[in-house]
Amino acid sequence: MIKNISNLGDAALYCDFGNAVNKEINSNVIKYFKSLQKNKIPGITNITPSYNKLIISFDLENIKYEQLKSEILKIEISKLEAQEKKNVQIPVCTDEEFCLDTERLSKKLGLDTSKILESFFNKNYFCYMTGFIAGMPFLGDVDEKIRLKRLETPRVKVPKGSIGITEQFANIYTFESPGGWNIIGNTPIKIFDKLKQDNPLKINPGDTVKFYKITKSEYLNWNE
Amino acid sequence: MNKAFFEILRPGINSTLQDEGRFNQYHIGLPFSGAMDKRNYLIGNHLVDNKSNTASLEFAYQGPLLKLKFGKVTAVITGDVKFQIIRGNSKIEEGICYKTFNLNDDDQIDIISTNKSVYGYLSVQKGFSGDYFWGSCSVHTKSEVGSNNGKKYSDKEKIFLNQSNNDFCSKKIDYFNSKIEFIRVLKGTNFDYFSDKSKEDFFSKQFTITKLTDRMGMRLKGPKIENKVDTNIKSEGLIKGVIQVPPDGDPIIMFSDHGTIGGYPKIGVVISADYDKLVQLTPGNTIKFKFIELNEAENLFKFYNLETKNTLNQIR
């Protein structure tokens, strides 16, 4: 499972699960994450799961690297939490004003915009991780036909709710933010709700996500 | 009875409530935030008899002009700060950092500026009344979380105090904010992505702090750091102090409000003991990085921590 543990600075552990990005490796990362969340080891101040890494920061006043490393190595794999999974439906409006990059994608890929959107909406996505900005989900995998790199010059402001794709991944801009992903639509729903402090995220690592199309008037009249 | 508050007559450049920060929320995309210069924040709270985790008003460069309404309170300013107290009768008193002062109804504090440093703290007895999210009222503007709807203060807003005080207190300490030239770092997890020349440059040449520096991070200019493996990695978690090198070769150091995930290779990580002093350096200053090993970093943190405790114990 964990291939190697090293230090990231003097107050964090860097757990490496390998270099590949796939559901199997990511599910292992999430299992460790959930298990650590449940069985609190004193001194841990943050745990960040990502595609294939788990970073554990700690309070240097309470624990040191070597000590925590041996604690982590003691975790029994058989006792790791099984993942709870949820299916989340996300409405998306692909009206012209929200599709900032669909035309560009169409030219670069040599595909009709309708084909691009069709293959985007056809897939079920897996949530590998959340973060960068609050609640932003990193989803995969995008159909090989519509994979493209990010913009060469990132936008200074990507509108809140934007749905972006880049390479094998899709994401949702939960807040207005700078960013370089190819924007193909916008969702009216709140992905991060700070007033729900127990569960502020609509999409959590391990969940599956299905996007579905809504009209402009449904978008404008959306009521959660 | 009306609750005591400061009326903001001038907000300053970046005035926010901050405490020790928000823990265990990296996985949903929220960084620690919290006071940038933790030692000065702690000294401030201790001078006015507060618990360590009491919210203070953090300001950067030009601070706010505040008028106290409906109350009185003991306050103190920590950091290297030029300020004055304008009494209700218009009499002006020169402000002295690290020495408490008492404010009455209609008195004003004019926090003019920090001196050759970035952050300063206004702490009041019993603290400010903040809005708590995940155990902290620290403002993180990027995700609109924390007090004041997660925004920095603007004109005419009010900052409420937890309590108007009838018992003023009087404490002070002599404290000197020493400057730092060498920032000590540990090797980052992608150290070997960089060319031999760049590795050497990184630990021998000077870097200049640019204006693109804020609570999220510090951008540096210096010799270009050349990547010979890949300018992107698969996005993974970040922590404060991480030094990332984007494709343009100019290092960025992650600060308290950083994005929780990043995809640029990490050349190094600033040691915990040097963070408070690093964040106080202003654009135009130069720094050099010094490579050390993990056990040295741990010892330096122990020393830093002891020094902080000794300082707090000297408060009279």
Side-chain angles (χ1 to χ4, degrees):
Chain A
M1 296 263 255
I2 297 181
K3 292 206 165 122
N4 184 42
I5 297 183
S6 56
N7 66 301
L8 180 63
D10 53 17
L13 234 71
Y14 182 90
C15 307
D16 190 354
F17 288 72
N19 288 322
V21 176
N22 58 47
K23 274 187 210 175
E24 197 199 332
I25 289 185
N26 184 252
S27 298
N28 286 336
V29 176
I30 298 170
K31 276 183 197 167
Y32 267 90
F33 167 67
K34 296 237 158 130
S35 168
L36 283 167
Q37 260 191 329
K38 212 167 186 183
N39 307 296
K40 293 193 166 83
I41 299 175
I44 291 183
T45 54
N46 252 315
I47 318 165
T48 323
S50 58
Y51 298 123
N52 48 25
K53 307 282 182 281
L54 185 71
I55 291 174
I56 306 168
S57 14
F58 53 89
D59 181 358
L60 203 41
E61 230 179 305
N62 293 324
I63 197 163
K64 280 191 208 164
Y65 170 70
E66 286 297 341
Q67 252 173 300
L68 185 55
K69 182 178 170 180
S70 67
E71 297 264 355
I72 300 295
L73 291 171
K74 267 189 252 163
I75 294 175
E76 281 178 50
I77 291 158
S78 60
K79 287 191 182 160
L80 293 178
E81 297 282 308
Q83 235 177 279
E84 295 164 40
K85 286 171 194 154
K86 225 175 27 187
N87 278 300
V88 191
Q89 305 275 322
I90 303 288
V92 180
C93 178
T94 56
D95 196 74
E96 221 175 301
E97 71 170 289
F98 300 127
C99 287
L100 307 179
D101 298 304
T102 320
E103 280 295 321
R104 206 179 62 85
L105 281 169
S106 166
K107 269 184 208 144
K108 285 233 172 189
L109 297 165
L111 269 179
D112 267 9
T113 55
S114 63
K115 287 274 178 224
I116 292 173
L117 293 174
E118 194 188 308
S119 64
F120 175 75
F121 282 108
N122 264 340
K123 281 215 92 170
N124 274 305
Y125 297 93
F126 173 80
C127 177
Y128 288 102
M129 59 180 176
T130 50
F132 176 58
I133 48 178
M136 181 188 260
F138 287 74
L139 311 165
D141 291 343
V142 167
D143 194 290
E144 289 193 23
K145 286 200 298 284
I146 59 168
R147 290 185 188 175
L148 204 67
K149 282 192 184 294
R150 62 191 72 203
L151 307 182
E152 294 212 349
T153 311
R155 292 191 168 86
V156 180
K157 281 180 183 175
V158 177
K160 183 174 179 168
S162 290
I163 310 291
I165 55 175
T166 201
E167 290 164 358
Q168 79 194 79
F169 305 111
N171 77 5
I172 306 172
Y173 283 86
T174 47
F175 288 91
E176 182 185 273
S177 152
W181 292 42
N182 302 287
I183 306 302
I184 59 166
N186 195 293
T187 181
I189 67 167
K190 208 180 236 182
I191 307 291
F192 176 80
D193 187 351
K194 65 180 173 188
L195 298 178
K196 293 182 191 155
Q197 292 200 35
D198 288 339
N199 189 16
L201 305 193
K202 195 97 186 166
I203 304 165
N204 286 285
D207 290 347
T208 51
V209 175
K210 179 90 174 136
F211 294 101
Y212 67 99
K213 219 168 169 169
I214 54 167
T215 63
K216 179 81 179 278
S217 79
E218 283 174 308
Y219 179 94
L220 294 173
N221 298 309
W222 197 265
N223 233 325
E224 265 174 86
Chain B
M1 204 181 100
N2 281 308
K3 212 176 164 196
F5 64 87
F6 279 115
E7 186 185 349
I8 301 176
L9 304 180
R10 180 193 71 228
I13 287 175
N14 194 1
S15 308
T16 56
L17 284 194
Q18 297 291 341
D19 51 28
E20 287 190 316
R22 202 164 275 116
F23 294 83
N24 283 312
Q25 304 303 329
Y26 263 13
H27 63 285
I28 64 167
L30 292 176
F32 284 107
S33 300
M36 292 287 279
D37 179 343
K38 198 173 166 204
R39 187 183 274 169
N40 267 308
Y41 158 83
L42 285 175
I43 297 173
N45 268 331
H46 279 243
L47 280 164
V48 288
D49 287 332
N50 287 343
K51 291 201 178 108
S52 293
N53 201 20
T54 310
S56 295
L57 182 72
E58 181 183 274
F59 46 88
Y61 305 107
Q62 185 206 46
L65 171 60
L66 305 167
K67 186 178 198 171
L68 184 63
K69 300 295 271 181
F70 303 118
K72 43 187 189 172
V73 74
T74 301
V76 71
I77 285 180
T78 53
D80 188 353
V81 183
K82 185 173 156 61
F83 71 100
Q84 55 190 23
I85 300 150
I86 307 165
R87 297 293 178 191
N89 59 9
S90 301
K91 205 179 137 234
I92 292 176
E93 293 167 20
E94 194 69 25
I96 301 166
C97 292
Y98 303 102
K99 185 174 186 292
T100 59
F101 50 88
N102 299 323
L103 293 172
N104 287 300
D105 216 11
D106 284 339
D107 284 352
Q108 294 177 35
I109 319 174
D110 186 0
I111 303 174
I112 298 159
S113 71
T114 49
N115 296 318
K116 292 179 182 159
S117 56
V118 184
Y119 299 101
Y121 297 87
L122 169 67
S123 309
V124 295
Q125 205 169 16
K126 307 286 179 206
F128 295 100
S129 158
D131 308 318
Y132 284 77
F133 292 88
W134 294 282
S136 165
C137 67
S138 290
V139 170
H140 183 237
T141 53
K142 196 114 179 88
S143 56
E144 297 161 15
V145 163
S147 296
N148 195 38
N149 287 317
K151 292 186 168 60
K152 49 186 178 184
Y153 283 114
S154 48
D155 245 354
K156 305 217 166 52
E157 284 177 330
K158 293 170 184 170
I159 313 174
F160 286 94
L161 310 187
N162 277 333
Q163 207 174 305
S164 172
N165 233 327
N166 293 315
D167 308 308
F168 287 133
C169 77
S170 167
K171 285 190 174 172
K172 65 172 183 172
I173 186 173
D174 290 321
Y175 184 75
F176 175 71
N177 286 286
S178 56
K179 280 264 179 292
I180 194 165
E181 279 170 68
F182 284 97
I183 304 297
R184 290 161 294 191
V185 301
L186 301 180
K187 270 184 199 166
T189 41
N190 309 108
F191 188 71
D192 292 329
Y193 276 45
F194 303 95
S195 71
D196 288 344
K197 181 178 178 294
S198 284
K199 284 188 224 171
E200 208 187 299
D201 283 353
F202 187 72
F203 290 117
S204 59
K205 301 265 167 68
Q206 267 188 347
F207 290 86
T208 306
I209 297 162
T210 74
K211 282 184 184 156
L212 291 170
T213 294
D214 56 17
R215 283 187 49 97
M216 287 182 68
M218 174 181 270
R219 285 181 186 251
L220 304 171
K221 276 264 185 231
K224 295 278 178 195
I225 302 300
E226 185 202 5
N227 190 314
K228 60 180 173 95
V229 178
D230 198 341
T231 53
N232 280 289
I233 56 169
K234 289 281 176 274
S235 293
E236 60 185 39
L238 293 171
I239 55 166
K240 70 179 196 182
V242 160
I243 308 169
Q244 293 194 106
V245 182
D248 66 10
D250 293 328
I252 307 173
I253 311 178
M254 299 295 111
F255 280 177
S256 305
D257 281 355
H258 67 86
T260 56
I261 281 173
Y264 297 131
K266 307 171 185 51
I267 192 169
V269 188
V270 175
I271 67 166
S272 300
D274 285 351
Y275 186 79
D276 285 356
K277 288 189 177 142
L278 173 63
V279 302
Q280 288 289 14
L281 296 174
T282 55
N285 268 306
T286 56
I287 51 173
K288 273 186 170 181
F289 293 111
K290 192 178 167 203
F291 168 64
I292 66 165
E293 297 286 353
L294 179 61
N295 65 332
E296 288 178 77
E298 288 170 345
N299 288 335
L300 286 163
F301 180 78
K302 221 183 195 171
F303 182 71
Y304 157 86
N305 208 17
L306 211 67
E307 220 176 47
T308 307
K309 283 188 176 140
N310 284 340
T311 307
L312 298 179
N313 286 334
Q314 280 163 25
I315 290 174
R316 293 280 179 270

